Every structure is written in structure tokens, then in C-alpha cells.
Amino acid sequence: MSAARRSAVRGAAPFVIGVGVLWLALVVLLPLGMVFAEAFRRGLEGFLQAFDEPDAWAAVRLTLLVAAISVPLNALFGLAAAWCISRYEFRGKALLTTLIDLPFSISPVISGLVWVLLFGTAGWFAPLLDALGVRVIFTVTGLVLATILVTLPFVARELIPLMQQQGADEELAALTLGAGPWAIFSKVTLPNVRWALLYGVLLCNARAMGEFGAVSVVSGHIRGLTNTLPLHVEILYNEYDFVGAFATATVLAGLALVTLLIKSLLEWRFADELAATRRH
Amino acid sequence: MPLSIQNLTKTFQGFSALDAINLEVGDGEFLALLGPSGSGKTTLLRIMAGLDRPDSGTVDFDGEDFLAQTPRQRRVGLVFQHYALFRHMTVADNIAFGLKVRPRAQRPSKAAVAERVSELLRLVHLEGLEKRYPAQLSGGQRQRVALARALAIQPRLLLLDEPFGALDAKVRRELRRWLRHIHDETGVTTVFVTHDQEEALDLADRVAILNAGRIEQIASPLDLYQRPASAFVHDFLGGAVQLPGQVSDGELIVEGWRTRAPDGAPTGQVILGARGEDLSLADEGLETRIVSVSPRGFRTRVAVEIKGHMLDLDRPAHDPISDLAPGRTVRLRPDPIQLFKA
């Protein structure tokens, strides 16, 4: 790099950094601060009051339950999809890759609505479900389906480029050394992608807990039964219980911050190993 | 013959990667598969290892049908061009991998594994590095770990796929000598894939030259050199020019030079192959222009041009060719005269 160009970049640095910080403060820190400010507007007592009612706790439990079901399923799917795409050549591979991205590009409302169109009272599979006596819409099943659809790309998107870049040589080496399929997966494939998998799972989890649009369509907003945390926040807000709404929102914000914290801690703790496995 | 390959054929989407390959490798032999990229040598190696399946043909090892066996049953050691070391494992864990993944009943004890690992570390001269990760090793060290890992399972057959292709020239030469030494020490039957003719000729007991999915010739390095079976083999071994010519009534005509054709030469359209070291100054011969002369101590490199083909001659400093001035035109005569059917 020439001296002139380097100094030009250095001169621009404070400006660029300043704009970045200002922008972050405006669109991230300010709203986040608002959530906490509003939550504590009537002091600690007002804040705690929001958690006095069983419906709030039901919403917390439901949110955790939905995430606990959808995240592992999407982690499994992500691993399987990344394995397929990075290890095999087949017809329709490009289509599969595009399909995996699709949930990112369609509105979450649509991701919820498709389940209503399929399994709702007037849906395609309504007769079948009626005959079986199974209900999907306005139940936990519906919430899980909508969440899975919305959060489907996260793990796969983290794993596909990494597994493509790493290639299959290590797995083939393990095969010739006598390892069986399970040993190859557990001793070679999985350890090689564990950090990407963890990132994917954390991102997937954050979205699963925070999802509003898709879940809103299939939930039916039955308090204590099908109301997740984000939906609970909306209900309280619509009932003009602003402190309650924001207090509940702090739980969501708290879950997101914990997720970020775990990610940063892991990055810091295993920085050496990360660098070693990435470089190779 | 422990390894016997008959009529092996493999096509990839209409492209013929291997075309009726027949190959025998003797017990303890070191065989090189030499050919340009795309000649099918790596495909052949992968079929031996069990990573690819042929369309037809047989691969037998010690009387067993290899194609009916999984890679695990074959007990074949494979060394990859880009090492393929397990990046999240230490050197010691890499080497021990093949022993640790054995079924419980056949798995050696922890102490036995540790003993075998340190024995192999000694063999590949990497004592003291057992706790390192692959990313902390040089390319040459990594490939030595990969070889130790492949040898740990006491393979019946050792396969190497361009193992030194990613290393620089000096390390390549070192590892080449060292690989031959390990082979002589362990006595394991070895098949080695390379596109570097010098490497193949230096290392192997016999060399199989592949071209477009077919074996052109299998012979000892000396035989390949002295009796190349085709113009392709002659050309691929390098350091040569090939000129079109004509043989009739026992006389050879190449680029205006007439001489007696050697006994048993083909007639009609032929190709004359002339290696740099076969050429010497003569009254009659191929018209040659001296392009440049670079003395390097004992040796002199003389770049010449023969009918539009460039060739480097490596000569002792006292050779008459080393004394020629650049720009001069002289006559060089090849001996022996090697002719191939055009």
C-alpha cells in the first residue's frame, strides 16, 4: 500500500468510526435502553408486578419449550443438508441450496400463514386432521412448525460454506484408516464443524425465541396456552400495560444478551483452537 | 503377484478415465504411476483404496477380491496430496487414529497404542512433536505425520497420491530420499502417483506411464529411458525434442538430414526422438542453432533450437558444445536414433 493511500485511510478513520458508533447508538442502543427505561418506569415493584401473573410464566415456559424442540431439529436438518450439499454431486443441488435460503427471503407472516392454509379449519389437510382428531393450528404443534420454518436456514448457512471449504479428504482418510460411519461423523466431521455448528445453533435459538410474525399467525393468542413471550408483550402493550409489556420484553432482551455473551465467551476461551482449525 | 488388476474401466459422464487397465504389482515392490493430469492415475489409486468403484474389471490382492471389500477390510494406507490430517487432533492422536477406531476386540491397549505411536514418530523423525497440531507444522512435517498415520495400521498396501505435490523443490527431494528409505525399511508394497517424471524415475522399482486412461508402458526406470515404447513415453520423460521424419529403403530423412535408419526401425512416417544427452557435434546431423550458453562451474547449460523446438543441454564445462558461441549454427547427431511410428 502506498504511503499516500495509507495516510488517506488513516485520516478518514475517525470519521468512519464516528459514523458507525453513532449509527449503532441510534438504532441499537437507544431502543434497547428504551426497553429497560420503560420497564423500570414504576420502579422495581412495577417491574416485578409483570411477573406476578401466571400467564407471563406460561409464556416464558412456552417460548423455551418451542425453542427446545425447533432448535435441535433444525440443527439436525442443517447438518444433514450441509453434508449433502458439500459432499455429494446431485441433480437439484442448486435448487436445494436456494430452498434453504427461502425462509430468509419470505415474510415471516407468510411462513405462519402457509401452515394455516395447510392445517387450518379450511386447510388442505383439514379433513384428514379432523378424522384423526389432531389439531395443529392454535396449538404448540403449530407454534413449533412455524418456528422451524422461520429458523430453518441458520445452522445450514453456517455449515455449508465451511464444510465445502474443508472438503471430504479428512473423512476419506478416516475411512481408509478403518473408521466406520459413526466414528467418521463423531471423531472427524463433527469436531471439524463444532464452532460453526454452535454459532448456527445460537443464532437459530435467538431467532426461535424472538420470532413474532409467523408465530402470531398460528398461535391464536390463547393466554397461558399458546402465548409465547413476544406475543405476550404485544398483548400487554395493546392493553395499555406499558410497564408490563416492557418488563416482559426485558426478559427477551436478556435472553438475547445471554446468547451473545455465551458466543463471545466461547470465542475468547477457544480463540487458539478456533484459529488452528480454521487455518490448516 | 499380490496386487493384480485386470481390465479395469471407469468412465465419468462419458469421459473415459480408465480404459482396460492391466497392472500387476509385486510383493514389496515400489511402483510409480506417472502421467499428466487427467491421465487417470489418481482414479486408479482411489479404486485401489476403495474410494471409487470401477465400471468393470477386477482388483485382486493376495487372492482376495478387493472390490468386494470395504476400505476397512482392505487395510490399505492412503496418503493424500494435501495431507488430510485431522486438524483438531494432535500429531499423536492423528497417528493413533487407525488403531483407536478398531472394533473393541481388536483394539490394542492404551500402552500398546502409545508404544506404536512413539515408534512411528521415530521412524518419521518427528520425535518431540507429538503434542503439536497440524496447523503448527511445516508442509514436509505434515506429510510425514500423514505417512506415519497410514503406516500405523500396518497396511498391506501403501498408496500415495502426489504426496509431495504441495511442497517446495528442496523439501521434495529430501522427502523423496526419505520415503524410499522408509519403504526399504518396512518392505510394504507401495504405489505412488506423480506427474513428476524425475520423482518417479528416482524412487520407483518400476514405473507405469499413463496417458488418457491407458497404460503406455510399464518398465524399470532404465528400460523406460533406453527403450521407450512410444513417442508419448519418450516425450513425457522430458529433455527431448521430437521431429517428424520419413523412413524408406532403410534410409531416414529428418528435416533435410539423411542417414541410415537403425535396424528394426518402422517404415513410412516416423517421429525421431532426440534427448539432449544423446546429441553430440558431428559433420552431418540436425541443424541446430546455439541460443545461449550459461556456464555454472563444472556444468554448462546450453540452450539450443532445433527446427523451432527449444532444448536445454546440460554439459560438462570441457564438452565441445559448452565452448560454442551463441548464434552459431552447428550440426548435432543423436545416438542412439530412436524412432516411433507417427
Side-chain angles (χ1 to χ4, degrees):
Chain A
M1 203 186 283
S2 73
R5 212 172 127 200
R6 195 185 292 167
S7 71
V9 171
R10 200 186 299 144
F15 175 71
V16 176
I17 293 170
V19 169
V21 168
L22 206 67
W23 183 249
L24 264 181
L26 198 69
V27 302
V28 178
L29 291 179
L30 189 65
L32 193 65
M34 265 294 292
V35 171
F36 283 91
E38 284 295 316
F40 288 99
R41 203 167 56 173
R42 288 203 206 112
L44 190 61
E45 210 172 309
F47 177 80
L48 290 177
Q49 222 166 26
F51 301 101
D52 223 11
E53 50 174 323
D55 285 351
W57 288 108
V60 171
R61 277 197 301 274
L62 184 61
T63 295
L64 294 176
L65 175 70
V66 169
I69 297 171
S70 1
V71 173
L73 286 176
N74 267 340
L76 279 180
F77 166 79
L79 263 172
W83 177 279
C84 270
I85 287 171
S86 64
R87 296 293 181 261
Y88 298 100
E89 288 304 322
F90 53 90
R91 224 179 262 259
K93 187 163 144 172
L95 184 71
L96 179 63
T97 316
T98 313
L99 277 178
I100 288 172
D101 275 342
L102 199 63
F104 271 168
S105 50
I106 56 174
S107 159
V109 177
I110 306 298
S111 301
L113 210 56
V114 288
W115 299 111
V116 176
L117 294 177
L118 285 174
F119 299 129
T121 44
W124 286 8
F125 292 105
L128 182 71
L129 292 178
D130 278 348
L132 293 171
V134 178
R135 290 194 56 196
V136 171
I137 303 307
F138 304 156
T139 67
V140 176
T141 316
L143 294 175
V144 169
L145 284 176
T147 307
I148 285 180
L149 179 56
V150 171
T151 60
L152 181 122
F154 285 98
V155 174
R157 288 311 313 170
E158 282 290 318
L159 293 183
I160 289 167
L162 180 68
M163 288 179 71
Q164 275 176 335
Q165 178 231 321
Q166 288 183 344
D169 271 6
E170 285 178 51
E171 283 148 11
L172 295 178
L175 182 69
T176 62
L177 288 168
W182 174 247
I184 293 176
F185 177 75
S186 64
K187 289 184 198 296
V188 179
T189 310
L190 202 56
N192 276 353
V193 299
R194 59 189 160 185
W195 295 112
L197 180 64
L198 189 70
Y199 287 166
V201 164
L202 286 174
L203 290 172
C204 183
N205 183 55
R207 181 65 190 267
M209 292 192 303
E211 175 54 26
F212 176 81
V215 162
S216 171
V217 178
V218 295
S219 151
H221 306 265
I222 309 165
R223 285 196 203 206
L225 283 182
T226 63
N227 229 15
T228 63
L229 264 179
L231 302 181
H232 190 65
V233 172
E234 193 212 15
I235 287 184
L236 293 179
Y237 189 84
N238 286 345
E239 289 170 352
Y240 303 106
D241 181 0
F242 296 132
V243 172
F246 280 107
T248 315
T250 59
V251 177
L252 270 176
L255 288 173
L257 288 175
V258 166
T259 305
L260 270 181
L261 190 71
I262 294 174
K263 179 172 172 280
S264 306
L265 272 178
L266 288 169
E267 269 177 354
W268 171 71
R269 168 70 180 77
F270 296 102
D272 292 349
E273 203 183 321
L274 262 172
T277 52
R278 287 251 164 106
R279 215 184 304 136
H280 188 52
Chain B
M1 287 280 178
L3 180 65
S4 168
I5 290 173
Q6 305 288 337
N7 264 317
L8 207 66
T9 299
K10 171 90 184 169
T11 50
F12 291 112
Q13 293 159 355
F15 166 75
S16 177
L18 294 176
D19 186 5
I21 296 279
N22 290 294
L23 182 66
E24 310 255 298
V25 185
D27 191 21
E29 188 179 10
F30 196 128
L31 179 96
L33 297 175
L34 174 65
S37 55
S39 59
K41 53 198 191 309
T42 294
T43 305
L44 183 54
L45 200 77
R46 288 172 60 94
I47 288 173
M48 291 182 201
L51 302 181
D52 258 331
R53 296 200 64 81
D55 298 337
S56 62
T58 59
V59 179
D60 289 335
F61 192 87
D62 273 343
E64 297 168 28
D65 178 6
F66 243 23
L67 296 179
Q69 297 183 344
T70 61
R72 175 185 215 154
Q73 291 165 325
R74 294 184 193 197
R75 207 146 55 79
V76 161
L78 179 58
V79 174
F80 294 75
Q81 179 175 5
H82 296 288
Y83 328 120
L85 293 177
F86 306 126
R87 67 193 77 202
H88 62 279
M89 289 184 205
T90 61
V91 167
D93 287 339
N94 263 283
I95 296 174
F97 185 87
L99 301 173
K100 286 183 180 167
V101 296
R102 280 192 191 164
R104 205 170 290 274
Q106 299 160 33
R107 205 178 300 161
S109 70
K110 261 194 172 158
V113 170
E115 175 55 35
R116 180 96 181 110
V117 166
S118 61
E119 188 184 303
L120 284 159
L121 281 166
R122 268 199 305 281
L123 181 70
V124 300
H125 298 300
L126 287 175
E127 299 106 317
L129 297 184
E130 46 269 65
K131 295 238 162 61
R132 298 270 188 93
Y133 283 91
Q136 299 165 317
L137 302 177
S138 72
Q141 288 172 327
R142 285 185 208 178
Q143 202 52 295
R144 276 143 68 189
V145 175
L147 185 69
R149 180 178 71 176
L151 289 172
I153 59 167
Q154 285 175 308
R156 302 191 287 175
L157 176 65
L158 181 64
L159 306 174
L160 302 109
D161 186 7
E162 306 235 7
F164 310 141
L167 303 170
D168 62 58
K170 183 166 168 287
V171 180
R172 277 175 93 109
R173 269 195 296 277
E174 256 172 51
L175 284 188
R176 201 187 292 169
R177 250 196 311 276
W178 167 85
L179 176 65
R180 181 69 217 198
H181 171 73
I182 296 228
H183 172 263
D184 294 343
E185 205 151 284
T186 58
V188 61
T189 308
T190 304
V191 178
F192 180 96
V193 160
T194 180
H195 65 259
D196 179 342
Q197 33 88 17
E198 196 188 316
E199 200 163 87
L201 298 176
D202 254 21
L203 264 172
D205 300 323
R206 285 192 308 151
V207 178
I209 299 209
L210 273 85
N211 179 29
R214 291 178 153 276
I215 292 185
E216 293 263 337
Q217 189 173 10
I218 311 177
S220 71
L222 188 64
D223 271 354
L224 279 181
Y225 212 74
Q226 292 180 336
R227 283 180 284 280
S230 65
F232 177 84
V233 173
H234 183 271
D235 184 48
F236 197 73
L237 294 185
V241 292
Q242 298 199 333
L243 303 164
Q246 177 89 34
V247 173
S248 53
D249 300 331
E251 189 184 45
L252 166 70
I253 307 169
V254 176
E255 307 283 359
W257 171 49
R258 285 162 179 271
T259 187
R260 212 172 67 79
D263 294 339
T267 53
Q269 300 290 328
V270 294
I271 292 169
L272 168 75
R275 282 211 179 79
E277 54 269 39
D278 298 339
L279 295 169
S280 52
L281 278 171
D283 295 334
E284 41 89 38
L286 298 164
E287 193 180 283
T288 306
R289 197 169 61 85
I290 308 295
V291 177
S292 68
V293 178
S294 335
R296 300 170 181 187
F298 289 124
R299 317 279 308 170
T300 302
R301 173 163 295 183
V302 183
V304 301
E305 187 224 305
I306 304 173
K307 298 288 170 192
H309 301 274
M310 295 300 296
L311 185 64
D312 279 341
L313 308 180
D314 185 33
R315 291 303 159 107
H318 57 74
D319 190 286
I321 292 179
S322 304
D323 276 342
L324 295 171
R328 267 194 67 179
T329 299
V330 295
R331 298 222 165 241
L332 296 182
R333 188 191 157 84
D335 183 41
I337 291 174
Q338 287 188 316
L339 296 178
F340 307 98
K341 263 204 113 48

